[in-house]
Amino acid sequence: MAANPVDTGRLALDEEVRLIQQRTEQSPYSAQIEFVPVWAARADDLLREINRHAPTVLHFSGHSSLNSIALVGKDRQAQPVSRDAVLRLLGLTAARSIKVVLLNSCYSSEMAKDIAQGARCAIGTVEPWGDHQAALFAASFYRALGFGATVTEAVEQGCTSILLEGYTGADDVRLHGNEDAAAMRLAGSPTWGGKTGQVREQAQDGSRDGRAAEPIPLLNESQCADFVTSSLEGARSAALTYLDVDGLLGINDRYGEHVGDLVIQRCSELVAAHTAESAALCRLRGDQYVIVERNVDASSAEKRAGRLVTQIRRHKWSHISRDLHVSATGSIAHWHGVEEDSPSLILRAVLGVKEAKVAHRASLAAAPLALPELGGDFESERAKLTHLSSYLSSDARYSMRKRTEARLETRRGRPRF
């Protein structure tokens, strides 16, 4: 949240944001960090953006005093927001995702001390804070988080960066919070509240505490169908995302299987970090992922799936091996509680991925609305059915074939999709 009202001293907030983005992109876990700048922040922006993004870190850049921060008000003049108002804001249920508050402004340590409570920590300063110090500290702080550092380590790196550049003020920074809060890692393989391996991004998808601490189960085709069936039980609707990590065999051949294992490990972290906590996850045949979200808005599910595929494609894979590039293709199939079994739902999503690859479409494709209704010569249609469902288990193929045979006995219509 950046605010520089016209009746206050000029601040180089754009330089601070530029430096934060530049240095954060240099870190290996940058794909786990979504940076959302809000310019000329007003009081209502605090509520709106917290509701909209459910952030893990709330960052304020601007002017402040011992008892207030200065946001932009009427006619772009300064509007003080009191310490009590900030504390009440952070006490809301909507703000429970916030783990760290960084007040990158003057005389903000006392307010930060009041903010820090429970599993939350806050950072402020005890003296005036110059533009260069503020930008250097924040950029190095977030870069360190992107390298998997704890909050304490990231604060220390931010202060050291100020000294290395020849500026004063490194000793004016204060970190408030208990030991557990200060030991949090916000990227990589963090520890939040004693739970290891947690890589959840607190973003637009609701709360995500604890998911990545659980490994994503690796299933075969039959087990995957059973997994989806149990996930759909009792649901009114659902969205199934099928994600295929492209070229893993080529990666193993060129870089070695140990690199392929690291790629899958990182992909699993990204999948866990960019899906809703309520979603059911499994891996299929090693390099494919199936994600089931129950009773969700279709648009929200599609946005999450698209963001996940984008994060995999944009991840800094060169940190694993030089010149390494990993791509992924996804498809989302919506289920509305009609009489459609799990193999058919999965198959629709698989066909969406296949069509996207053939047509070189965008990284996330829509699955066909239905499987083809087969007609004509039975033997040729059986061959087509077997080809389309080749990934399914023999039992599932047999079941699908019998259903198709029954339809063909009563209906000989033209193919329909």
Side-chain angles (χ1 to χ4, degrees):
M1 311 292 292
N4 192 184
V6 295
D7 57 341
T8 61
R10 174 66 180 167
L11 299 174
L13 302 183
D14 53 347
E15 176 64 17
E16 178 181 337
V17 171
R18 183 197 67 81
L19 196 60
I20 290 173
Q21 291 177 318
Q22 181 187 72
R23 294 195 177 181
T24 302
E25 289 172 356
Q26 299 168 356
S27 61
Y29 295 107
S30 61
Q32 296 178 13
I33 300 174
E34 182 182 7
F35 183 48
V36 184
V38 180
W39 298 99
R42 289 162 168 76
D44 186 61
D45 291 340
L46 288 167
L47 275 172
R48 186 190 70 231
E49 299 300 324
I50 287 175
N51 277 303
R52 182 181 179 189
H53 296 290
T56 310
V57 179
L58 179 63
H59 176 113
F60 171 72
S61 294
H63 292 284
S64 65
S65 64
L66 289 173
N67 296 306
S68 67
I69 59 175
L71 298 183
V72 176
K74 187 177 180 181
D75 299 326
R76 295 186 60 83
Q77 303 291 309
Q79 177 179 335
V81 176
S82 69
R83 183 192 307 189
D84 289 342
V86 172
L87 292 175
R88 182 159 183 166
L89 169 75
L90 295 173
L92 295 174
T93 301
R96 67 181 182 275
S97 65
I98 299 173
K99 304 296 182 183
V100 179
V101 177
L102 172 52
L103 301 177
N104 210 19
S105 55
C106 304
Y107 306 112
S108 55
S109 177
E110 287 301 312
M111 187 182 298
K113 185 176 181 180
D114 291 341
I115 289 171
Q117 52 183 317
R120 178 182 290 162
C121 58
I123 304 158
T125 66
V126 296
E127 296 291 342
W129 199 225
D131 272 343
H132 296 296
Q133 291 96 322
L136 286 169
F137 174 83
S140 296
F141 173 80
Y142 290 115
R143 179 175 60 186
L145 293 179
F147 272 90
T150 66
V151 175
T152 299
E153 293 166 347
V155 169
E156 183 59 30
Q157 287 200 31
C159 293
T160 302
S161 178
I162 294 172
L163 292 176
L164 290 173
E165 295 291 340
Y167 294 99
T168 60
D171 295 331
D172 296 334
V173 180
R174 298 289 185 272
L175 169 62
H176 301 281
N178 61 37
E179 291 183 1
D180 288 340
M184 289 188 296
R185 299 179 194 271
L186 274 63
S189 297
T191 300
W192 283 7
K195 297 179 180 180
T196 59
Q198 195 165 2
V199 222
R200 303 304 300 165
E201 174 201 61
Q202 300 287 343
Q204 304 169 17
D205 317 291
S207 75
R208 299 172 168 193
D209 294 338
R211 158 60 61 75
E214 306 170 2
I216 299 177
L218 175 61
L219 308 178
N220 60 30
E221 289 83 351
S222 179
Q223 291 170 332
C224 180
D226 291 340
F227 175 85
V228 173
T229 298
S230 63
S231 300
L232 295 177
E233 187 174 353
R236 300 183 305 276
S237 63
L240 183 144
T241 301
Y242 172 78
L243 178 69
D244 186 13
V245 180
D246 302 326
L248 189 64
L249 290 177
I251 291 172
N252 288 337
D253 291 341
R254 179 177 179 183
Y255 298 96
E257 291 188 1
H258 66 289
V259 172
D261 291 342
L262 288 174
V263 168
I264 289 300
Q265 177 183 344
R266 191 66 52 80
C267 284
S268 295
E269 292 176 353
L270 292 171
V271 168
H274 292 276
T275 54
E277 185 183 12
S278 59
L281 308 178
C282 73
R283 280 171 58 202
L284 176 61
R285 297 194 300 182
D287 60 349
Q288 299 152 32
Y289 294 85
V290 174
I291 304 163
V292 181
E293 297 183 65
R294 297 160 45 95
N295 304 324
V296 295
D297 174 72
S299 177
S300 299
E302 290 168 5
K303 287 180 181 179
R304 278 190 290 273
R307 186 161 53 248
L308 169 59
V309 176
T310 299
Q311 291 294 343
I312 290 176
R313 290 181 167 225
R314 292 182 179 178
H315 188 71
K316 299 295 190 300
W317 295 105
S318 58
H319 289 287
I320 293 179
S321 186
R322 184 179 178 182
D323 300 326
L324 175 63
H325 174 72
V326 178
S327 185
T329 307
S331 177
I332 188 164
H334 296 288
W335 181 82
H336 300 289
V338 296
E339 293 184 0
E340 180 181 29
D341 58 14
S342 296
S344 299
L345 179 63
I346 298 170
L347 184 54
R348 284 202 292 119
V350 171
L351 291 177
V353 166
K354 289 183 177 181
E355 291 175 4
K357 289 184 177 181
V358 170
H360 303 288
R361 294 178 186 167
S363 56
L364 181 70
L369 295 179
L371 293 176
E373 274 197 12
L374 306 177
D377 180 72
F378 176 74
E379 291 301 324
S380 64
E381 300 302 343
R382 176 190 291 175
K384 181 188 295 185
L385 178 65
T386 302
H387 171 70
L388 292 178
S389 59
S390 60
Y391 89 101
L392 294 172
S393 67
S394 59
D395 289 344
R397 287 201 303 271
Y398 177 79
S399 175
M400 182 178 288
R401 189 188 73 190
K402 296 302 290 183
R403 289 196 304 274
T404 302
E405 289 174 353
R407 287 203 305 270
L408 290 173
E409 289 300 321
T410 58
R411 184 172 182 176
R412 298 285 179 175
R414 61 184 181 182
R416 179 170 60 87
F417 291 83

